[in-house]
Amino acid sequence: MSTGWRAQPERGSRRLIQVMTWITLRLGRSVTRWFLYPICLYFLVFSGGTQRISREYLQRILKRPPGWKDVFRHYHAFASTIHDRVYLLSGRHRYFDIRMEGASALHAVLAQKRGCILLGSHLGSFEVLRAHGLFDQQLPITVIMHEAAASNLNAVLHSLHPDIRERIIPPGTPDTMLAVKERLDRGEMVGILGDRVFGGEKGITCDFLGKPRSFPEGPFLLAALLQVPVVLFFGLYQGGRQYEIHFEPLADGIHLDRGRRSDSLRPWVERYVSRVEHYCRLYPYNWFNFYDHSDDARASHTVV
Amino acid sequence: MAPPLETGSSTQNELEQDLARLIVESLRLEVLPASIDPSAALFGEGLGLDSIDMLEIALALSKRYGVELRSENRAALASLRALTAHIAQHRTR
């Protein structure tokens, strides 16, 4: 039933997304970026639920009641990063001005050949990092994410890059984590977004910007079981054609207390959350987790 | 590619019991090992395990039997029976 809920409303739009992607590539970024204004305006008028989430978040981060301009800016940043995915996935990542912070720390971790979990969030753009990994092959990144079937947008965007499917591990199958282990054993990186709990997944409730929110313990448990380091990343959109990717080592290894697992994972989850909050404050309009926790039950039955 | 089971069925049952115990112990499940239906699904609906649980089972099996489960061995992850057959065929200790 949950798959029906996910797939149905989006089905009609695949053709539209294909057409828009084609136009985006034909006319180029500077022209098609103008389209983002009417699109964001449309969503400003017609997206009640999303706007409620955006306003509630903006209120907490800006510490003042957000106006429609704030919501518009929030939507526009989000739309920009999706628009840019078309160029990033079709090999035009050099068009962007991408700055890296902390890359040497990441390389030091990778030099140990133990693999590493790259833990991200719905803050900023994940694609900017993946494009780096895909096109500059010294950074092979595999990501755990729902494949094309779950999203028309991803189906169309992923078709822009022929090899991308080999770099995606779908969550919620019996062998998901075995596939993850194989990549890590080869010394590669596996990317996970750590700020969204799916249906039956175990979560740890932490304070996030002054409100309790559940975060998955899975990525941390995985790091502990396989004894691999965790590095945080944030692909922040700074406007124009500028992105900044931050890497921060989080844990060299996570120790698990038998029988008191959640207790031993909690400090790591809290550390992660405090870094997400830190970057939220620096780039408040980069928070793209337009997803209401009260929707948890019907969002998905996926188990990671 | 169902591996042929040895004919002595009593040893097979024994291995199934060992594996059930190993699963319950390593995941600290609150069920009796003997109560696991050998043909029921381990993942999702059946025993209710998730993919991190499956990884823990794989790590425990590798330690105990020297068998490394890989993502291609998906069929072996289906049930206790399938897993037992796989271990019986590939175990090194």
Side-chain angles (χ1 to χ4, degrees), chain A residues 173 175 177 181-182 261 304, chain B residues 28 51 56 68 70-71:
Chain A
T173 74
D175 53 321
M177 291 303 158
K181 179 180 186 293
E182 286 154 22
R261 284 193 161 186
V304 165
Chain B
R28 293 162 307 279
S51 74
E56 285 204 75
E68 178 145 10
R70 299 190 54 83
S71 53

Side-chain angles (χ1 to χ4, degrees), chain B residues 71-84:
Chain B
S71 53
E72 307 88 90
N73 308 129
R74 200 172 184 165
L77 304 174
S79 63
L80 178 60
R81 182 153 292 154
L83 197 57
T84 307

Side-chain angles (χ1 to χ4, degrees), chain A residues 192-239:
Chain A
I192 309 176
L193 301 187
D195 57 352
R196 202 178 273 186
V197 180
F198 287 105
E201 214 185 330
K202 287 171 207 121
I204 291 183
T205 302
C206 292
D207 187 84
F208 176 69
L209 299 172
K211 212 179 126 184
R213 189 183 177 99
S214 180
F215 290 85
E217 65 170 41
F220 304 92
L221 181 55
L222 182 67
L225 292 173
L226 297 177
Q227 280 305 302
V228 291
V230 181
V231 174
L232 303 183
F233 79 86
F234 299 93
L236 301 156
Y237 179 57
Q238 301 179 307

Side-chain angles (χ1 to χ4, degrees), chain B residues 52-67:
Chain B
I52 292 190
D53 294 330
M54 301 308 266
L55 173 66
E56 285 204 75
I57 293 175
L59 294 172
L61 288 173
S62 140
K63 220 187 255 175
R64 174 91 53 97
Y65 299 104
V67 177

Side-chain angles (χ1 to χ4, degrees), chain A residues 141-154:
Chain A
I141 303 170
T142 302
V143 297
I144 304 181
M145 69 181 288
H146 283 284
E147 260 175 323
S151 148
N152 281 329
L153 180 66
N154 281 337

